[in-house]
C-alpha cells in the first residue's frame, strides 16, 4: 500500500520514531531503576501496544475503562487512579488493577475495605509546587482538587497504605527544574515516604525531548529512591508518543479574506482538540519559514476560529495537495469526536519494515451509533 492511496484524513504512527522514544525510556530505567507505566489518557491506541510492551512496565489510568483497557491489552502492572470513584467503579476496577490510588483521604476511608488484600493501596498527594505552562493544566493551581494538600494530611494514613502518587509536571523539558521539585518533595514529605514501599512521580517529565539530560534525571531518581527506600514510578504519556505521528489531510479549498486560508478535510475541534483548548498552533511538515506564500491552515468545521496554524510555503498550495500535521498522537486520538459529522480519520502504523498496517477506520454507522442506538417508540 502506498501512502498516496490512503484516504485522508488519517493518522500515521511511525514505529521507528516510537522505538526511538522507547529506547530513551529504556535507558532511563537502566540508569535509575524507575518503573514506567504508560498514561493511557494520553494515548490508548492499543493496536500498537505490542511495540511498546517490551519497553514499559504497564499502564496507569484516569478512569475505569482505561483500567480495563490496560489490563486487557497491555498487561504488566495496571495502576488505577481516578479523581473520583463511585463504589461501583471501585468494585469493578479492583479486580483488574495491582495498585489503587485514591485522590482523597475521604475516598480512601470509604473504599479501602474493598481494596485491601486485592491491590496495593495508594493516595495522591499534592506537593503544592509544579511545573506547567498553562494554568488549566497546572495540578497545583489555586483551589486544586487534585490530591491531598500537605496541611490536610493525617500522618496515621501512612501506616495503612503502601504508596503515594504526585503528579505536578506538564511537558517539563528542564531537568534541573524537575530535580528542584524532587528536592522539595523530599524535604516536605520525606518522613512519610520513608514509611512506604512505592512512590509515583506522575507524568509530564519530557525526557525524550532532544537534548534532555537523561543521565542526570536517572541519577537524581536513583538517589531519591535510595534515600527513601521506595520503588519509584513515572507515568509518562506525551514523552513516549511525542513526534511519532502525523495527521495527514488534504487541501479541499483555498479562500481569501485579507489572508489566504487553505481549508483541509479535518478540524481541530473534532480531530486535534488540544490545538484549540491550549491555543497551541500545529506544525506542518511541508511548511518553510522562509517561504513567500502564507496561509491559514483552516479546518472544515463550522467553528469560526477553528484553524490548525498559520504557515508559510515555498510554493502556492494547491487544491488536492496533502499536508502532514506533525506530532499528532498524544491527547488527540483519545479525544476524537464526531462534531459536524466530519469523516473520522483512519489510523495506520508504518512499521519499521516500511509496511503500512491499518489499525482503525470509521464510517457513517459509527457516527450514527454514537448518537442514539434506539429511537423513542
Ligand atoms: C496526565 C497525567 C499523566 C501523563 O502526563 P503526560 O504529560 O502525558 O506525561 C500521568 N499521571 C497523571 C496522574 C496524569 O494526570
Amino acid at each position: 500500500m502506498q501512502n498516496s492511496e490512503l484516504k485522508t484524513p488519517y493518522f500515521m504512527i511511525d514505529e521507528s520514531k516510537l522505538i526511538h522514544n522507547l529506547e530513551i525510556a529504556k535507558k532511563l530505567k537502566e540508569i535509575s531503576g524507575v518503573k514506567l507505566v504508560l498514561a493511557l489518557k494520553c494515548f490508548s491506541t492499543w493496536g500498537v501496544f505490542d511495540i511498546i510492551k517490551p519497553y514499559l512496565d504497564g499502564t496507569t489510568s484516569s478512569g475505569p475503562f482505561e483500567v480495563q483497557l490496560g489490563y486487557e491489552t497491555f498487561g504488566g502492572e495496571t495502576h488505577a487512579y481516578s479523581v473520583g470513584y463511585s463504589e461501583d467503579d471501585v468494585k469493578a476496577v479492583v479486580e483488574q488493577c495491582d495498585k489503587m490510588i485514591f485522590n482523597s483521604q475521604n475516598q480512601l476511608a470509604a473504599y479501602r475495605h474493598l481494596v485491601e488484600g486485592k491491590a496495593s493501596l495508594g493516595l495522591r498527594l499534592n506537593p503544592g509546587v509544579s511545573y506547567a505552562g498553562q494554568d488549566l493544566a497546572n495540578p497545583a493551581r489555586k483551589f486544586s482538587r487534585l490530591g491531598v494538600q500537605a496541611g490536610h494530611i493525617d500522618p496515621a494514613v501512612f501506616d495503612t497504605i503502601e504508596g503515594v502518587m504526585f503528579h505536578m509536571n506538564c511537558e517539563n523539558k528542564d531537568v534541573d527544574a524537575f530535580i528542584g521539585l524532587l528536592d522539595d518533595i523530599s524535604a516536605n514529605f520525606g518522613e512519610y515516604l520513608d514509611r512506604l514501599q512505592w512512590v509515583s512521580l506522575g507524568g509530564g517529565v519530557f525526557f525524550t525531548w532532544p537534548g534532555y539530560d537523561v543521565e542526570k534525571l536517572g541519577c537524581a531518581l536513583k538517589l531519591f529512591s535510595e534515600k527513601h527506600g521506595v520503588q519509584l514510578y513515572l507515568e509518562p504519556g506525551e514523552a513516549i508518543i511525542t513526534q511519532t505521528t502525523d495527521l495527514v489531510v488534504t487541501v479541499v479549498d483555498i479562500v481569501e479574506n485579507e489572508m489566504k486560508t487553505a481549508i483541509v478535510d479535518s478540524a481541530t475541534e473534532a480531530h486535534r482538540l488540544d490545538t484549540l483548548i491550549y491555543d497551541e498552533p500545529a506544525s506542518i511538515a511541508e511548511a518553510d519559514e522562509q517561504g513567500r506564500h502564507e496561509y491559514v491552515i483552516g479546518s472544515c468545521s463550522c467553528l469560526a476560529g477553528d484553524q490548525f496554524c498559520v504557515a508559510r510555503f515555498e510554493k502556492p498550495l494547491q487544491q488536492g495537495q496533502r499536508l502532514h500535521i506533525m506530532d499528532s498522537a498524544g491527547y488527540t486520538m483519545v479525544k476524537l469526536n464526531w462534531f459536524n459529522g466530519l469523516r473520522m480519520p483512519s489510523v495506520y502504523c508504518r512499521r519499521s519494515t516500511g509496511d503500512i498496517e491499518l489499525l482503525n477506520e470509521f464510517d457513517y454507522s459509527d457516527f450514527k451509533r454514537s448518537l442514539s442506538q434506539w429511537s423513542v417508540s
Side-chain angles (χ1 to χ4, degrees):
M1 208 166 2
Q2 290 296 309
N3 282 5
S4 57
E5 294 167 12
L6 307 179
K7 271 175 98 171
T8 65
Y10 63 86
F11 290 98
M12 181 64 75
I13 304 169
D14 188 302
E15 180 180 20
S16 305
K17 293 177 181 172
L18 182 54
I19 288 177
H20 168 83
N21 291 341
L22 291 165
E23 287 290 339
I24 298 173
K26 182 175 164 189
K27 182 175 157 196
L28 175 64
K29 287 179 56 173
E30 284 165 3
I31 297 168
S32 63
V34 73
K35 288 188 179 180
L36 300 178
V37 286
L38 178 68
L40 293 178
K41 78 160 196 271
C42 172
F43 182 79
S44 299
T45 305
W46 53 267
V48 296
F49 281 178
D50 280 350
I51 299 168
I52 304 177
K53 276 184 216 173
Y55 291 89
L56 302 187
D57 297 282
T59 57
T60 189
S61 52
S62 300
F65 285 174
E66 283 185 354
V67 180
Q68 184 170 354
L69 190 77
Y71 177 77
E72 279 180 11
T73 65
F74 201 105
E77 293 192 32
T78 305
H79 293 199
Y81 163 73
S82 172
V83 172
Y85 279 116
S86 69
E87 185 167 337
D88 284 346
D89 288 344
V90 176
K91 285 179 180 162
V93 156
V94 74
E95 304 300 328
Q96 299 177 321
C97 70
D98 315 286
K99 293 189 173 56
M100 181 82 135
I101 304 168
F102 289 103
N103 186 60
S104 73
Q105 293 174 116
N106 251 342
Q107 290 235 309
L108 176 66
Y111 300 131
R112 65 175 316 136
H113 66 283
L114 298 172
V115 181
E116 272 161 345
K118 291 188 167 174
S120 181
L121 269 170
L123 181 64
R124 180 170 180 173
L125 302 181
N126 191 318
V129 289
S130 62
Y131 185 105
Q134 298 202 28
D135 191 56
L136 180 63
N138 181 359
R141 77 209 291 259
K142 196 164 170 58
F143 310 127
S144 176
R145 71 195 185 294
L146 304 175
V148 186
Q149 306 289 317
H152 295 176
I153 291 173
D154 169 9
V157 84
F158 297 102
D159 297 326
T160 67
I161 60 175
E162 293 181 340
V164 291
M165 186 262 276
F166 299 91
H167 170 68
M168 64 274 169
N169 287 280
C170 185
E171 301 202 359
N172 185 351
K173 297 161 188 161
D174 180 344
V175 67
D176 293 312
F178 179 75
I179 292 172
L181 294 172
L182 211 52
D183 291 344
D184 234 87
I185 287 174
S186 189
N188 294 327
F189 301 91
E191 58 176 305
Y192 301 144
L193 306 190
D194 294 342
R195 293 152 68 181
L196 300 173
Q197 294 171 21
W198 54 267
V199 171
S200 176
L201 295 165
V205 185
F206 220 150
F207 54 80
T208 48
W209 190 253
Y212 193 99
D213 192 341
V214 176
E215 189 92 30
K216 192 169 186 178
L217 173 67
C219 293
L221 292 172
K222 187 163 193 274
L223 271 177
F224 185 98
S225 71
E226 285 168 359
K227 181 172 176 196
H228 298 294
V230 290
Q231 171 64 52
L232 274 188
Y233 289 85
L234 289 178
E235 306 173 353
E238 189 64 45
I240 298 301
I241 203 72
T242 185
Q243 302 293 344
T244 61
T245 300
D246 291 336
L247 170 57
V248 185
V249 300
T250 299
V251 176
V252 294
D253 197 8
I254 296 174
V255 296
E256 188 162 357
N257 175 13
E258 294 182 56
M259 280 184 85
K260 285 192 170 139
T261 294
I263 298 175
V264 300
D265 57 354
S266 175
T268 70
E269 193 170 30
H271 305 156
R272 206 177 189 280
L273 196 55
D274 281 8
T275 319
L276 205 57
I277 294 179
Y278 294 100
D279 194 20
E280 284 178 352
S283 301
I284 310 283
E286 290 78 5
D288 174 359
E289 267 178 53
Q290 316 302 328
R292 289 194 298 120
H293 305 277
E294 187 179 54
Y295 294 84
V296 176
I297 305 302
S299 301
C300 64
S301 84
C302 66
L303 178 68
D306 188 350
Q307 64 183 54
F308 288 91
C309 58
V310 176
R312 308 185 75 89
F313 297 85
E314 198 185 326
K315 290 188 197 146
L317 293 181
Q318 304 290 334
Q319 205 173 315
Q321 178 178 351
R322 292 184 172 203
L323 297 175
H324 291 71
I325 300 168
M326 299 191 291
D327 199 15
S328 297
Y331 300 97
T332 57
M333 286 174 240
V334 292
K335 294 190 177 191
L336 291 170
N337 67 70
W338 287 105
F339 187 57
N340 277 203
L342 301 183
R343 284 185 196 284
M344 187 66 81
S346 310
V347 183
Y348 293 93
C349 179
R350 186 188 302 107
R351 306 304 304 269
S352 305
T353 56
D355 291 347
I356 290 172
E357 293 180 18
L358 178 64
L359 303 180
N360 210 352
E361 64 184 348
F362 306 88
D363 60 22
Y364 170 74
S365 66
D366 298 305
F367 168 57
K368 188 177 177 194
R369 165 69 186 84
S370 76
L371 298 168
S372 290
Q373 200 170 356
W374 301 283
S375 63
V376 294
S377 48

